[in-house]
Amino acid sequence: MKRLGLALALLGCVAAQPSPYSSQRPGGANSDPLENPRDLSGRSVKTARIRMIHDRYLPGSSGWLMEHDPWLAYQWGRDLGRREFSHADGAFGDSGRLGGKILDDQATPLMSRDHINSCVACHNVPFRDMGAGMTIQKNAGSGRNTPHSFGGGVVEMIGQEIRSQLLARADLNQDGWLSFREAEGEAWVAPMPGERQSYGRYNDGNQDGRPDLNPILYVWYVDKGGQRIPWARNLKAAGVAGYNFEVQVFGHGQRDRVGHGALSSTLRAVSSNAWDIHSGLQAHDPTASTEVTHDGLCKVSYCGAQQYYTGFTRDLGTVCNGHGVSLDDPDRDGVCEEVSEGDMDILEFHLLNHPRPAQKVDRRFLTGQRTFGAIGCTECHRSQWHISNDRRFFDLETDFQQGHMTGQLHRLSGGPRQFVGIYSDFRHHDMGDDFYETQYDGSRTRAFRTSPLWGVGSTAPYGHDGASLCLDDVIRRHGGAGQAARIAYEGLSDPQRDDLHHFLQGLVLYSTDSLPCDIDGDGVVSQHLLVCGQDTGREVFNPEWLFRHPGQIEGVVEAPDGGTIISRALVNVQQAYGLTLRGLIDRDQDGFPDMLRVLSRR
Ligand code: HEC
Ligand code: HEC
């Protein structure tokens, strides 16, 4: 082994020696576990922390990977969500402080800061997959429950679709915003061709100074040139000539605040905000923080998603070094550019492509599904959505037969697509007293996003506050706009209700990297998938098998407790993970690619 290490060093790719502040486990059966921590299941993050460079042409940069080795880009993004960040990476500058946006009293912060060092510590069910999770201290003492992000890209694309349809309907001169004269009539979209779903009205009929639109639309006010007036809070403010908006499809819902509204409408902005508030990691992300013409719109990401000013990050790169690395260090912990623009690219790429939840369809599922429609649940929990351009690069279709779930991978190449089984109208509704949230400052949130029910069978507890411990409780809690449906639900016979529950329990999440899955497109799930000449066992959806240089496992090895096991640790981590590509070489292990030649610490 020693000699091999030396040979690699001469080639210029030293096997990474993790610092005491790193959590990756690249090692296998034959590595020294103290120098090279191991995980023989092969499931841990294997690469040292290195900021990704935002570029399309440099080998190993974010855009290059998306184009030339998309599965590797997907896995790097996935690893960012799974990684446990350390002090050395800049985590936890302000633990224990209150922070975030300000509530209606203009003084009370929304939440506490810097409590978790990894996305998947909250998004934990299932583990490793940005699932649903725990209830945290946020908005109110009652708490906020962590939703899953399966199918996150589909949700984001639906939000974009809603926005473009709503704009197209009213923006007659096509200048990208709505003037007073244009803001007329009903705001509606066609979730499916020929259907019609209302988002309120474009104008201010009730004279409260705001357009009468569903609160899932976050509105900002603009002058006669379409430029955002940062201090304008309503249509009556001086100089306001109209407005523009985004569709904040993520998060349970917030009050229409003076600041930036709810969770932003893009995966990218939701994620960079999450890193900052939960882990003290600030992203330097010009894609999301460059408002080119001050109209509220920022750049379009490499993944093709329009970004908005609500997704500004705190690390604005006011002072940069010669390579464009921000030296701002907003949390003053001595670590610069804790998250790079390229990191945001690939995390976004991962979340965009993260598979949809699955369905365990059987006879009772279908019976329950019919009841669900018949008693009016689908008025809000809408199943089908159509989008005009699918930006994902693959879709994972699941199938449930005789108690077993399998998957089938499909490559995609853009174009329109229809999704079935999301179960949300992506609107906010007043669900009655039992759902009202009294925020820390006493202001009340009365309307919430219709929770997309895909995955709901795996995500107890329920409600924005996680206060309903089972499905029956959360359904019986429906009041307000959901009152009629709840009464119909209560009127069901026991067997009908059981079938309805069976249907909801059949909307599930799953562990993506354990799912038996046809990934090579030969139509079967092999029991002995050969990758690089090694028998990896049952064919599963492990992105490593799909890399441009597929992962080569160790195979049969002796286990410390006797006998033999199949080690799925990789013997070619360096090559498989692209660590020999220019943009990803980090010999001094400071977490920045060598070619940036930065001093990572001030
Ligand atoms: C401390 C727990 C916690 C951590 C850590 C965390 N999240 Fe979240 N996440 C939440 C909660 C709670 C919500 C819902 C917030 C709300 O509605 O107000 C959420 C919502 C989301 C959503 C929107 C999902 C939906 O359907 O509405 C996405 C996407 C997301 N988080 C991604 C991330 C990413 C990426 C990271 C890591 C960079 C992360 N989260 C870290 C708790 C967490
Ligand atoms: C008027 C719209 C509306 C109707 C009709 C409606 N719901 Fe809901 N539903 C919501 C909203 C809004 C929420 C989110 C409440 C919250 O997060 O606090 C929700 C939440 C849920 C949840 C919890 C999901 C989660 O992940 O926490 C379930 C389960 C649910 N609804 C099932 C049903 C069923 C079953 C019916 C039919 C009997 C129904 N809903 C009818 C709007 C509706």
Side-chain angles (χ1 to χ4, degrees), residues 171-467:
D171 180 18
L172 302 175
N173 66 0
Q174 297 183 10
D175 58 359
W177 57 281
L178 304 184
S179 65
F180 284 129
R181 205 152 44 83
E182 289 171 330
E184 281 296 328
E186 193 192 359
W188 60 274
V189 304
M192 291 292 291
E195 294 183 3
R196 192 171 164 134
Q197 178 172 291
S198 178
Y199 282 82
R201 301 189 70 79
Y202 290 108
N203 61 346
D204 177 22
N206 64 7
Q207 291 292 310
D208 67 351
R210 293 156 187 242
D212 302 341
L213 293 166
N214 189 279
I216 202 160
L217 307 189
Y218 178 75
V219 171
W220 64 89
Y221 303 93
V222 300
D223 65 17
K224 59 182 192 310
Q227 304 238 311
R228 184 168 65 88
I229 309 180
W231 58 88
R233 301 291 178 243
N234 57 50
L235 294 165
K236 295 172 179 164
V240 170
Y243 64 89
N244 206 333
F245 60 90
E246 61 173 321
V247 188
Q248 296 187 327
V249 279
F250 294 113
H252 301 291
Q254 321 273 338
R255 288 179 50 74
D256 186 2
R257 277 198 307 273
V258 243
H260 284 176
L263 295 201
S264 185
S265 51
T266 68
L267 290 166
R268 189 176 186 108
V270 171
S271 306
S272 58
N273 271 297
W275 254 331
D276 186 354
I277 195 79
H278 298 309
S279 307
L281 295 165
Q282 291 88 47
H284 172 225
D285 187 15
T287 298
S289 311
T290 315
E291 190 185 0
V292 188
T293 59
H294 298 283
D295 56 356
L297 308 187
C298 295
K299 294 190 188 172
V300 174
S301 68
Y302 280 176
C303 295
Q306 173 70 57
Q307 305 297 315
Y308 305 90
Y309 81 101
T310 51
F312 269 27
T313 55
R314 275 208 290 157
D315 186 347
L316 289 172
T318 325
V319 180
C320 288
N321 77 356
H323 297 281
V325 175
S326 169
L327 305 177
D328 286 8
D329 187 16
D331 62 357
R332 305 250 169 268
D333 59 3
V335 184
C336 292
E337 190 159 313
E338 292 165 347
V339 176
S340 70
E341 191 176 16
D343 291 334
M344 292 316 307
D345 292 336
I346 50 162
L347 179 63
E348 180 190 348
F349 186 69
H350 167 68
L351 291 172
L352 169 66
N353 289 291
H354 192 7
R356 299 174 284 131
Q359 299 193 339
K360 294 184 170 176
V361 182
D362 59 14
R363 198 183 43 75
R364 278 182 70 206
F365 177 101
L366 296 171
T367 315
Q369 188 181 40
R370 272 195 297 279
T371 308
F372 184 77
I375 64 174
C377 307
T378 44
E379 267 169 43
C380 301
H381 297 284
R382 143 182 290 282
S383 170
Q384 298 190 41
W385 282 89
H386 178 271
I387 58 162
S388 48
N389 185 28
D390 191 350
R391 295 185 279 107
R392 300 171 307 153
F393 83 99
F394 76 93
D395 185 64
L396 206 159
E397 193 179 33
T398 54
D399 184 40
F400 184 71
Q401 299 284 344
Q402 281 132 26
H404 294 288
M405 185 135 72
T406 52
Q408 169 86 55
L409 208 58
H410 300 285
R411 311 284 173 127
L412 303 176
S413 52
R417 198 166 317 278
Q418 183 177 319
F419 296 98
V420 180
I422 300 172
Y423 300 115
S424 175
D425 56 358
F426 297 103
R427 289 184 294 187
H428 288 188
H429 298 279
D430 183 332
M431 300 303 289
D433 295 16
D434 283 354
F435 275 110
Y436 288 174
E437 174 187 63
T438 304
Q439 301 195 102
Y440 296 119
D441 69 341
S443 57
R444 300 219 289 167
T445 312
R446 293 187 170 81
F448 293 91
R449 172 187 70 168
T450 304
S451 316
L453 295 185
W454 57 0
V456 79
S458 311
T459 65
Y462 302 110
H464 64 270
D465 50 6

